[in-house]
Amino acid sequence: MLDRGQSVATSLQNFFTFFCYFTPVLGALVADQYLGRYRTILLFSCIYMIGWLILTATSTPAGIAHGSGFPGYIVSLIVIGFGTGGIKGIVSTLCADQYRHTENYVKETESGELVLVDYDLSIQHLYNWFYWAINVGSLLGGVICPILELNVGFWAAYLLPTCIFALAIIVFICGGRFYYKPPPTNSVISSTYKIFRFAFKQAGRPENKEAKKESKYILDFAKRDSGLKNVAEWSSDNCNAATGWDDKFVDELKETMMACKIFIPLSIYWVCYNNLSNNLISQSGQMYRPDGLPNDIMNNFDPIALIIFIPITDMFFYPLLRKYKLNFRTQQRITVGFFLGALSMVYAAVVQHYIYVDPVYQETGVSAMSVFIQIPCYFLIAFSEIFASITSMEYAYTHAPKSMKSLVSALSLWPNCVAALISLAISPSAEDPNMVWVYTGVACGAFVCGILYYIVFRHYDAMDEETRLRKIANFQNSTENSNTGSNKQMSINEKS
């Protein structure tokens, strides 16, 4: 309707993605330090709602006629991006907070068997179904809105989600009394700054020169029990009060930094995914479609695949692997996600090649190839999300301390932000007849990055496995001690 062309549309979409994934850190800081997650979601939902109202109002025929269509579109992108960014890193965290166990615990089955309910597996199960619910909403909106846009207008396509979002806010408020709402904590940013400043100061002291060579982490110099000199003023009683942190917080900060490292290379994976909402839609516009089928409805095969295969993966595939003692670990799953994302781009490049060489396309601009040939590409992206996207969200929550869960979850979204910048940089070349090479380049980048990712981070799996086995050993010892003289059978089967 605005007649700005594919390049401008792709650039604006990439900017919107960038902004949506840049702002979650702000919402996370507000949630962790000031308002708590529940009230922060309410605050940014109101901003989100204002953006929807602007978008809907300026897309009406009257708004377009008065020249407010494009300016209103730009303003709504910023306001919606600010609103959705404010809640994006918090909603999944608040959802996971409702699982009240923070460690493994023992459960007695109906048969009298004692089993270990594994915390990490339970969070994995929760995030799988959280992602499933997101894609149910995505599918409903993704099918209905393009049809409304085609047959009624953009204003109708935007009015529907505006009304649904208003209803969602009402439901969230009404259900608030049932939620567990973690209170805000002290200023994480301030404490983190003090820790790093103190650690670098201690590491720079001449008397700590040898200790600096032996230490793997600079943060060790901020710990009271580090054995370093010139920290005699730290006593076991006033350590936290005097410095603003304790050794436990330093260890949590180290774990957080280790977890955040995996988010950096994930940016390349998300470049693959971003093609789903721009270039692949343009590709479907170059292919034969049945009458009345809008080209932007095709990317709904991604949520369709997720709705079908997330339950299969969660209820059958993962338990089957565990049954045969095959532990499909976190970094292995993310690496597989890289490879599946690369394979989806290879498929897109092959399809694009056959579009270009089709004589019908060369004459009319529309290939005789059916648009449904694209479906495997969307399915491959969906499978990659199950292994890469969901796993990274789960990893961010389970490896973040309580005081930083919103912040780390928000940081796990920053690869999408960086990916949007990369996509924005290559968007000028994302036009015919270059698209085969665009898809090929993204595929090669994801494949190479997947290999490097596993080489660099595979030891994280070994560290997690060591922690898991230690927890199981503790469970065995505590259960044996508590059931001495009992005839109950003990098992260390992991149940989620």
Side-chain angles (χ1 to χ4, degrees):
M1 181 180 286
L2 299 176
D3 196 27
R4 299 284 172 162
Q6 178 180 343
S7 181
V8 173
T10 301
S11 298
L12 287 173
Q13 190 275 331
N14 285 321
F15 163 76
F16 181 62
T17 302
F18 162 78
F19 196 62
C20 286
Y21 289 102
F22 179 79
T23 50
V25 171
L26 174 62
L29 291 175
V30 172
D32 281 345
Q33 297 182 30
Y34 301 107
L35 299 180
R37 292 191 252 283
Y38 179 78
R39 288 190 292 174
T40 302
I41 290 173
L42 285 180
L43 171 64
F44 281 95
S45 291
C46 294
I47 299 172
Y48 201 159
M49 189 67 194
I50 292 171
W52 274 112
L53 292 172
I54 294 172
L55 180 64
T56 304
T58 57
S59 63
T60 59
I64 298 295
H66 285 83
S68 59
F70 190 66
Y73 178 67
I74 298 298
V75 172
S76 65
L77 288 185
I78 296 173
V79 177
I80 290 175
F82 190 69
T84 189
I87 69 174
K88 193 175 286 290
I90 308 173
V91 173
S92 64
T93 308
L94 183 65
C95 178
D97 286 337
Q98 307 314 304
Y99 182 71
R100 299 301 299 120
H101 298 281
T102 58
E103 296 291 342
N104 300 343
Y105 70 96
V106 180
K107 179 180 179 180
E108 185 174 349
T109 64
E110 294 180 357
S111 64
E113 181 185 27
L114 296 178
V115 296
L116 175 68
V117 181
D118 188 276
Y119 171 76
D120 290 336
L121 293 180
S122 300
I123 295 299
Q124 180 189 100
H125 176 71
L126 185 148
Y127 270 99
N128 280 332
W129 287 97
F130 173 80
Y131 209 79
W132 182 88
I134 288 175
N135 282 277
V136 170
S138 175
L139 177 62
L140 293 175
V143 171
I144 298 172
C145 290
I147 294 175
L148 285 173
E149 176 263 312
L150 184 67
N151 296 288
V152 182
F154 279 99
W155 66 271
Y158 297 145
L159 179 62
L160 175 64
T162 302
C163 295
I164 295 296
F165 191 70
L167 177 63
I169 295 176
I170 295 172
V171 171
F172 188 67
I173 294 173
C174 293
R177 63 191 180 95
F178 299 107
Y179 305 148
Y180 167 67
K181 306 168 188 174
T185 58
N186 296 328
S187 176
V188 175
I189 298 298
S190 175
S191 297
T192 302
Y193 170 73
K194 290 178 182 179
I195 288 173
F196 273 99
R197 185 180 64 178
F198 187 86
F200 277 106
K201 181 179 178 180
Q202 289 296 321
R205 291 181 181 273
E207 58 267 31
N208 293 328
K209 184 177 181 180
E210 293 300 321
K212 184 177 180 181
K213 293 179 181 179
E214 298 176 2
S215 177
K216 294 176 61 177
Y217 302 103
I218 191 70
L219 290 178
D220 286 337
F221 288 88
K223 297 178 68 172
R224 179 178 55 81
D225 63 357
S226 59
L228 301 177
K229 301 178 181 179
N230 297 304
V231 289
E233 68 274 11
W234 291 23
S235 67
S236 58
D237 297 326
N238 65 7
C239 171
N240 187 271
T243 63
W245 71 86
D246 55 19
D247 287 1
K248 180 181 178 183
F249 185 80
V250 175
D251 288 332
E252 289 177 344
L253 185 59
K254 286 166 58 178
E255 185 176 0
T256 299
M257 292 181 63
M258 287 185 62
C260 289
K261 288 178 183 179
I262 74 165
F263 304 145
I264 298 172
L266 277 169
S267 301
I268 305 301
Y269 163 77
W270 286 108
V271 175
C272 296
Y273 175 84
N274 285 349
N275 281 274
L276 182 128
S277 54
N278 44 53
N279 290 325
L280 287 176
I281 292 177
S282 299
Q283 185 186 76
S284 64
Q286 300 172 331
M287 305 173 75
Y288 169 76
R289 306 187 307 279
D291 292 338
L293 184 70
N295 65 314
D296 51 358
I297 207 170
M298 286 302 298
N299 63 356
N300 286 289
F301 282 100
D302 174 67
I304 288 173
L306 288 167
I307 290 170
I308 294 172
F309 292 109
I310 285 178
I312 293 174
T313 303
D314 184 71
M315 299 171 66
F316 299 102
F317 180 63
Y318 287 154
L320 183 65
L321 292 179
R322 290 196 295 270
K323 180 180 179 180
Y324 290 100
K325 309 300 181 184
L326 298 173
N327 191 0
F328 194 14
R329 298 172 183 169
T330 301
Q331 308 311 324
Q332 294 171 342
R333 281 182 275 153
I334 294 177
T335 302
V336 170
F338 268 102
F339 294 154
L340 289 172
L343 190 59
S344 70
M345 291 297 98
V346 170
Y347 187 90
V350 172
V351 170
Q352 191 68 52
H353 168 74
Y354 281 104
I355 290 174
Y356 286 157
V357 300
D358 186 356
V360 178
Y361 172 78
Q362 295 172 0
E363 293 180 8
T364 64
V366 178
S367 173
M369 294 172 59
S370 171
V371 71
F372 296 110
I373 292 176
Q374 275 194 323
I375 291 177
C377 184
Y378 290 110
F379 272 47
L380 286 168
I381 291 178
F383 276 112
S384 75
E385 289 177 73
I386 293 174
F387 295 124
S389 178
I390 300 178
T391 303
S392 65
M393 293 169 61
E394 162 205 330
Y395 190 83
Y397 184 84
T398 56
H399 287 71
K402 292 180 180 179
S403 60
M404 297 186 186
K405 287 196 179 295
S406 294
L407 179 60
V408 177
S409 294
L411 290 174
S412 73
L413 301 175
W414 265 26
N416 306 62
C417 169
V418 177
L421 290 178
I422 296 173
S423 299
L424 194 62
I426 64 177
S427 61
S429 62
E431 57 184 9
D432 298 322
N434 304 324
M435 292 309 301
V436 172
W437 294 109
V438 171
Y439 292 131
T440 302
V442 173
C444 292
F447 181 77
V448 172
C449 193
I451 295 174
L452 295 176
Y453 178 89
Y454 189 68
I455 293 173
V456 173
F457 295 109
R458 61 182 177 180
H459 69 284
Y460 279 23
D461 282 336
M463 294 168 61
D464 289 342
E465 181 67 7
E466 181 180 344
T467 302
R468 187 183 73 88
L469 293 175
R470 185 169 61 249
K471 289 179 179 179
I472 292 176
N474 292 337
F475 160 72
Q476 285 180 299
N477 294 333
S478 62
T479 308
E480 287 172 355
N481 292 334
S482 62
N483 290 293
T484 302
S486 172
N487 291 324
K488 289 184 178 179
Q489 180 185 3
M490 186 190 72
S491 168
I492 57 169
N493 291 332
E494 297 162 292
K495 306 289 184 182
S496 66

